[in-house]
Amino acid sequence: MGQFFRILLMGAALSVGGCVDPGGSESAPPSPADAFAAARSIQNAPTADTRRLLQLINQTRAEPHRCGELGLFPAAPPLSWNASLEASARLTVDDMAADGFFAHVNPATGENGASRISAVGYAYLQWGENLESGYDTAEQAMEAFLASPTHCRLLMRRYWEDVAWYRRATPESDLFSVLGAMHFGRPM
């Protein structure tokens, strides 16, 4: 039986509105203060892995892409890595892995990307979220994003300024081998 791969997309504009700790044990969802502290603890300078993800995002945006029936999107400006968005993307992945769901909204808590992005202190005019599951490499996930018209369009939007993409193996999950969240932002 083939492995099942999925990607999800969510975004919002203007005024849109259980985690796993590193050891893998369940904990309560972080308070906004804890989430903000986690965001501040991430270095502003991306690691080698995050630099590679940022390079992949910006290389993709540097070329025009046909996003299916949504048409041709011109090349878009490069984005800057944002530590707060990295923290919110991490919260999203950890939440999905811990609670065994793959969706933009946690069915148990009602939290979504906007609530996590706000919780880490990122003040936005616009935000967006692409989710991926089951892709062994970032390159495979990027191909899937580009093959999906709505994910492609979100990736190629010119108004984004900041981005972070957090992905990891999820051995604590019986449902997913790898989960990833890409958060986009346009700050206030």
Side-chain angles (χ1 to χ4, degrees):
M1 208 184 267
Q3 191 172 10
F4 184 62
F5 300 104
R6 298 182 289 178
I7 54 176
L8 289 175
L9 155 87
M10 187 169 200
L14 300 176
S15 303
V16 173
C19 272
V20 173
D21 67 26
S25 62
E26 290 187 22
S27 64
S31 71
D34 290 342
F36 184 70
R40 304 237 348 147
S41 71
I42 296 174
Q43 299 285 334
N44 282 334
T47 65
D49 285 340
T50 57
R51 281 193 305 271
R52 184 179 66 80
L53 292 174
L54 180 60
Q55 180 181 24
L56 181 59
I57 291 165
N58 284 332
Q59 282 176 342
T60 300
R61 288 172 56 86
E63 299 177 15
H65 288 279
R66 179 160 301 282
C67 297
E69 68 275 3
L70 299 177
L72 182 66
F73 283 73
L79 302 176
S80 298
W81 192 266
N82 183 277
S84 293
L85 292 179
E86 183 178 357
S88 64
R90 180 184 304 250
L91 289 172
T92 299
V93 168
D94 289 349
D95 196 28
M96 290 189 299
D99 291 348
F101 71 95
F102 183 71
H104 293 287
V105 177
N106 182 322
T109 67
E111 289 182 317
N112 66 8
S115 58
R116 289 184 192 95
I117 290 169
S118 294
V120 298
Y122 185 90
Y124 59 84
L125 289 174
Q126 294 174 307
W127 70 277
E129 177 179 75
N130 278 343
L131 301 177
E132 45 117 346
S133 169
Y135 297 97
D136 291 332
T137 68
E139 291 77 12
Q140 290 171 338
M142 183 62 78
E143 287 177 23
F145 287 145
L146 291 173
S148 165
T150 53
H151 292 87
C152 176
R153 175 182 60 194
L154 190 67
L155 181 65
M156 295 303 294
R157 290 215 163 136
R158 299 183 60 76
Y159 51 72
W160 300 130
E161 294 178 28
D162 299 320
V163 70
W165 187 3
Y166 181 75
R167 59 188 328 269
R168 70 172 176 87
T170 52
E172 72 275 25
S173 173
D174 293 335
L175 301 173
F176 311 107
S177 60
V178 176
L179 287 168
M182 186 184 291
H183 282 181
F184 300 94
R186 180 178 176 200
M188 289 187 160

